[in-house]
């Protein structure tokens, strides 16, 4: 599996990757900044996600906003922020490639002159409202925040949520925001991919012409990460405006591309990611003690997490769910996958890779993946090696990786209807007041 490309690095440090695909008159522009919430610090969280909004507000030479010119040209566009990175993309008719690249260059090099106090406050209010709608007022919306707070100490970059804490966002100043941009959003900390109906040499020359005058920026040191003590089991419960009790069982796990990462991805499939999975069959189909179930590895750059989530069926307790979950995890750790399960997991992984390659741009398309491998692996050519982690994984590899899922290192969180702590898994303590906020 290979996606042909040419990579060069401009004099100012910007990586430029060009992939030619002339099957349609389309061009994908994709920019990754190697900055996410892991680059923030306690007391000043949420800035990386805030910039996901501010970057669409306009820049010095295009102060009227980012969407109108591109949408008038027929583009689709978006951006996203994670703990580890921020990406922005446009998919345009190929005759609008210069416009898309010019827009990206202008906000990389000339965003701050257009970033006013009014724009900052407007987008901060939008983010705070997004937080209320997507997390605080959404059933189970704060559960993941509590899990991560419990799993990582306060000084660890994964302790706080990517969307940030309201108090931090409200306390941030325009100078704080500008300093954050200057530190992370520059060519030396970015990777640009142009994919589609484009000549390779012309694409590189165009990138150099539009981005080449932007200063490199200072070297970005890796985030400060405290040494982590082995995770001790915790049992917590929190009330929420929900009708159905839900159980979250979570572990620390290997980081992105580390040994065991792909194997735990496959274990997630075997345990809980389809109607044929072990936990779905047992909890939802056969015993009917759960109404929904999911399991999976959340790969992150510094360290990963693995989680199993199940909601109780009427008349059944979270203790029943937990006992069945831990029994299946123990059985898997002892026996590993069957041949059929392993073959199915490998086939699903291969199909997912092929499926993603069908898209030129957007989230997960070829342009996005070339940037992902370039940022995380220092080479855009990571497709085959990444897939090999899955198709070469053996039953013994999966059994070894399952050792991460020890009951004595699990964070178990019960989310129960307000006023019903009796529905929590036994032995749980209430979360601290303000947890997840």
């Amino acid at each position: 599996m290979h996606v042909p490309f040419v990579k060069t690095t401009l004099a100012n440090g910007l990586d430029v990757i060009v992939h030619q695909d002339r099957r349609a008159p389309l061009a994908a522009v994709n920019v990754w900044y190697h900055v996410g919430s892991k680059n923030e610090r306690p007391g000043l969280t949420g800035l990386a996600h805030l910039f996901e909004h501010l970057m669409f507000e306009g820049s010095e030479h295009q102060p009227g906003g980012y969407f109108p010119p591109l949408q008038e040209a027929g583009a689709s566009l978006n951006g996203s922020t994670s703990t580890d990175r921020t990406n922005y993309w446009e998919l345009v008719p190929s005759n609008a490639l210069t416009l898309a690249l010019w827009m990206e260059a202008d906000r990389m090099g000339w965003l701050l002159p257009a970033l006013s106090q009014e724009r900052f406050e407007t987008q901060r209010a939008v983010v705070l409202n997004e937080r209320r709608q997507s997390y605080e007022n959404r059933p189970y919306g704060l559960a993941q925040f509590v899990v991560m707070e419990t799993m990582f100490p306060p000084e660890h970059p994964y302790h706080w949520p990517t969307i940030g804490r309201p108090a931090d966002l409200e306390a941030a100043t325009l100078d704080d925001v500008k300093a954050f941009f200057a530190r992370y959003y520059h060519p030396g900390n970015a990777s640009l991919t142009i994919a589609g109906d484009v000549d390779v040499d012309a694409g590189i020359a165009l990138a150099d012409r539009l981005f080449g005058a932007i200063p490199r920026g200072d070297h970005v040191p890796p985030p400060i990460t405290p040494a982590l003590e082995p995770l001790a089991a915790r049992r917590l419960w929190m009330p929420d405006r929900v009708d159905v009790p839900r159980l979250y069982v979570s572990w620390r796990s290997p980081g992105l591309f580390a040994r065991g990462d792909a194997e735990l991805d496959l274990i997630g499939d075997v345990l809980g990611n389809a109607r044929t999975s072990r936990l779905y069959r047992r909890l939802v189909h056969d015993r009917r003690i759960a109404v929904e179930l999911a399991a999976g590895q959340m790969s992150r750059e510094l360290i990963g997490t693995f989680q199993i989530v199940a909601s109780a069926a009427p008349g059944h307790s979270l203790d029943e769910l937990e006992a069945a979950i831990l029994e299946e995890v123990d059985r898997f750790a002892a026996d590993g996958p069957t041949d059929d399960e392993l073959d199915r997991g490998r086939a699903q992984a291969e199909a997912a890779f092929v499926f993603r390659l069908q898209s030129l741009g957007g989230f997960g398309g070829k342009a996005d993946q070339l940037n992902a491998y370039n940022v995380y692996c220092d080479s855009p050519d990571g497709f085959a090696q990444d897939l090999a982690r899955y198709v070469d994984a053996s039953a013994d590899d999966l059994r070894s990786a399952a050792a991460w899922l020890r009951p004595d290192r699990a964070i178990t969180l019960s989310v129960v209807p307000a006023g019903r702590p009796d529905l929590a898994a036994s032995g749980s303590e209430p979360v601290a007041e303000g947890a997840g906020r």
Side-chain angles (χ1 to χ4, degrees):
M1 182 171 293
H2 175 66
V3 175
F5 67 89
V6 172
K7 173 184 171 181
T8 189
T9 302
L10 304 185
N12 61 5
L14 178 66
D15 286 343
V16 178
I17 303 153
V18 181
H19 162 65
Q20 188 178 80
D21 179 349
R22 294 195 182 277
R23 288 178 293 178
L26 294 171
V29 172
N30 190 292
V31 178
W32 273 47
Y33 294 95
H34 200 176
V35 56
S37 55
K38 76 178 189 311
N39 300 99
E40 298 160 357
R41 60 177 171 81
L44 198 58
T45 66
L47 298 190
H49 174 260
L50 177 62
F51 267 105
E52 183 190 318
H53 292 250
L54 292 171
M55 292 282 271
F56 288 104
E57 282 295 281
S59 45
E60 181 174 18
H61 305 103
Q62 178 53 43
Y66 201 79
F67 284 93
L70 287 165
Q71 289 178 328
E72 288 172 9
S76 55
L77 62 157
N78 210 332
S80 69
T81 313
S82 75
T83 53
D84 302 323
R85 61 94 184 106
T86 305
N87 66 356
Y88 299 93
W89 58 264
E90 298 85 33
L91 183 64
V92 299
S94 50
N95 61 5
L97 173 61
T98 300
L99 172 65
L101 285 171
W102 181 85
M103 297 283 285
E104 284 289 2
D106 203 54
R107 63 180 177 182
M108 181 185 291
W110 294 274
L111 182 84
L112 292 187
L115 180 53
S116 63
Q117 183 74 28
E118 181 182 4
R119 284 185 170 177
F120 161 54
E121 291 180 2
T122 297
Q123 289 308 312
R124 175 167 60 183
V126 170
V127 168
L128 289 169
N129 190 53
E130 177 185 343
R131 195 185 195 278
R132 285 188 287 271
Q133 288 187 334
S134 301
Y135 301 100
E136 296 169 14
N137 295 327
R138 175 170 291 184
Y140 313 104
L142 294 176
Q144 293 293 359
F145 294 179
V146 171
V147 169
M148 296 300 278
E149 283 181 5
T150 309
M151 197 168 287
F152 298 101
E155 64 273 22
H156 192 280
Y158 291 165
H159 181 79
W160 53 87
T162 297
I163 200 168
R165 294 199 167 111
D168 295 347
L169 287 163
E170 288 165 356
T173 66
L174 182 59
D175 286 343
D176 292 330
V177 171
K178 288 184 173 180
F180 192 81
F181 182 88
R183 189 175 304 124
Y184 295 111
Y185 297 80
H186 54 69
N189 197 42
S191 179
L192 164 69
T193 293
I194 307 168
D197 183 21
V198 55
D199 177 80
V200 171
D201 291 338
I204 292 173
L206 184 58
D208 193 24
R209 177 162 66 85
L210 297 174
F211 289 85
I214 304 172
R216 169 191 288 269
D218 293 336
H219 170 69
V220 175
I224 298 172
T225 54
L228 293 174
E229 298 292 330
L231 193 61
R234 294 281 305 275
R235 302 176 66 77
L236 301 166
W237 70 268
M238 63 180 293
D240 200 357
R241 286 172 289 185
V242 299
D243 295 325
V244 178
R246 180 180 287 179
L247 188 72
Y248 296 76
V249 188
S250 310
W251 295 265
R252 289 184 194 151
S253 63
L256 181 64
F257 298 124
R259 185 178 180 83
D261 173 44
E263 289 82 356
L264 279 160
D265 228 358
L266 292 168
I267 291 172
D269 289 338
V270 172
L271 289 178
N273 273 351
R275 291 177 181 272
T276 56
S277 65
R278 295 186 182 192
L279 287 170
Y280 188 92
R281 287 203 313 269
R282 178 169 176 177
L283 275 68
V284 179
H285 186 270
D286 295 342
R287 294 182 59 190
R288 300 187 180 185
I289 60 176
V291 293
E292 57 182 352
L293 185 135
Q297 160 80 347
M298 275 67 77
S299 305
R300 295 183 181 88
E301 194 171 3
L302 303 178
I303 185 172
T305 58
F306 187 93
Q307 188 172 76
I308 299 172
V309 182
S311 299
H316 294 278
S317 70
L318 295 184
D319 282 334
E320 289 178 87
L321 270 58
E322 182 184 15
I325 288 170
L326 294 181
E327 188 176 310
E328 287 295 339
V329 170
D330 284 348
R331 188 164 71 90
F332 186 94
D335 301 335
T338 66
D339 291 343
D340 285 347
E341 288 173 331
L342 190 56
D343 289 344
R344 186 166 57 246
R346 291 166 171 165
Q348 288 173 337
E350 194 162 17
F353 271 75
V354 172
F355 179 78
R356 289 197 293 270
L357 292 184
Q358 305 309 304
S359 300
L360 182 65
F363 294 126
K366 285 189 287 185
D368 207 34
Q369 291 180 76
L370 286 163
N371 260 344
Y373 291 126
N374 189 53
V375 167
Y376 290 137
C377 307
D378 200 27
S379 170
D381 194 16
F383 294 88
Q385 285 181 307
D386 193 8
L387 178 59
R389 299 189 303 144
Y390 292 86
V391 297
D392 294 343
S394 69
D396 283 342
D397 292 334
L398 267 65
R399 190 161 47 238
S400 297
W404 283 85
L405 312 182
R406 290 170 41 176
D408 61 343
R409 294 186 177 176
I411 300 299
T412 305
L413 173 67
S414 301
V415 180
V416 300
R420 294 300 306 273
D422 56 301
L423 297 180
S426 59
S428 301
E429 58 182 309
V431 300
E433 185 176 353
R437 301 287 177 176

